[in-house]
Amino acid sequence: MSSARSAAVTLTLFRVVLGLLFAFHGAASLFGVFGGNRGSGHAVEFATWPGWWAALIQLAGGILVITGLATRPAALLCSGSMAYAYFVVHQTQGLLPLNNGGEAAALFCWSFLIIAVLGPGAFSLDALLSRRRDPAPPAPLATA
């Protein structure tokens, strides 16, 4: 497999796994599944700030990133929400992620920023839709 093909497959796997983990966090908080919000077994109360809205971003953003649809804006929103979580929730408890419990928020923030910069890759709905909108250019005419 060529290195370009390996990079495309690796980016796709990274994007899908990252989106899946993020969507699981959102589903846990919104619906009380997978152990619930922060392992409590319960869902976050509807429309409470910031927990419910963060969970909505996690679920919707995670699904968009998994599928590779509107990937850059979704990943940027997910990254920003994790930056907010880190600086507002975690950093008040200590400077370093190791001391304030913010490792996951920091890792999600930077990982989604990478996806926002690199894009969804070749194996995504964004790429598929782009190919449908921009068909291959016509073949050049043969000259005599």
Side-chain angles (χ1 to χ4, degrees), residues 23-61:
F24 281 165
H25 275 279
S29 295
L30 286 175
F31 308 119
V33 296
F34 309 124
N37 182 46
R38 297 182 186 218
S40 69
H42 302 287
V44 176
E45 190 175 327
F46 178 74
T48 57
W49 178 259
W52 188 87
W53 298 98
L56 185 63
I57 289 171
Q58 290 169 353
L59 181 61

Side-chain angles (χ1 to χ4, degrees), residues 11-98:
L11 177 60
T12 298
L13 289 173
F14 180 72
R15 176 178 52 78
V16 168
V17 169
L18 181 67
L20 190 63
L21 292 171
F22 208 57
F24 281 165
H25 275 279
S29 295
L30 286 175
F31 308 119
V33 296
F34 309 124
N37 182 46
R38 297 182 186 218
S40 69
H42 302 287
V44 176
E45 190 175 327
F46 178 74
T48 57
W49 178 259
W52 188 87
W53 298 98
L56 185 63
I57 289 171
Q58 290 169 353
L59 181 61
I63 290 169
L64 288 171
V65 168
I66 289 167
T67 61
L69 182 63
T71 309
R72 288 179 193 263
L76 191 60
L77 180 63
C78 292
S79 177
S81 75
M82 288 294 96
Y84 177 88
Y86 183 78
F87 288 111
V88 172
V89 176
H90 297 285
Q91 199 168 35
T92 61
Q93 300 168 20
L95 178 63
L96 299 175
L98 188 60

Side-chain angles (χ1 to χ4, degrees), residues 72-129:
R72 288 179 193 263
L76 191 60
L77 180 63
C78 292
S79 177
S81 75
M82 288 294 96
Y84 177 88
Y86 183 78
F87 288 111
V88 172
V89 176
H90 297 285
Q91 199 168 35
T92 61
Q93 300 168 20
L95 178 63
L96 299 175
L98 188 60
N99 298 332
N100 65 24
E103 295 105 331
L107 285 168
F108 273 127
C109 177
W110 286 103
S111 297
F112 279 115
L113 187 60
I114 288 170
I115 297 296
V117 170
L118 295 178
F123 305 108
S124 65
L125 288 178
D126 284 342
L128 179 66
L129 293 172

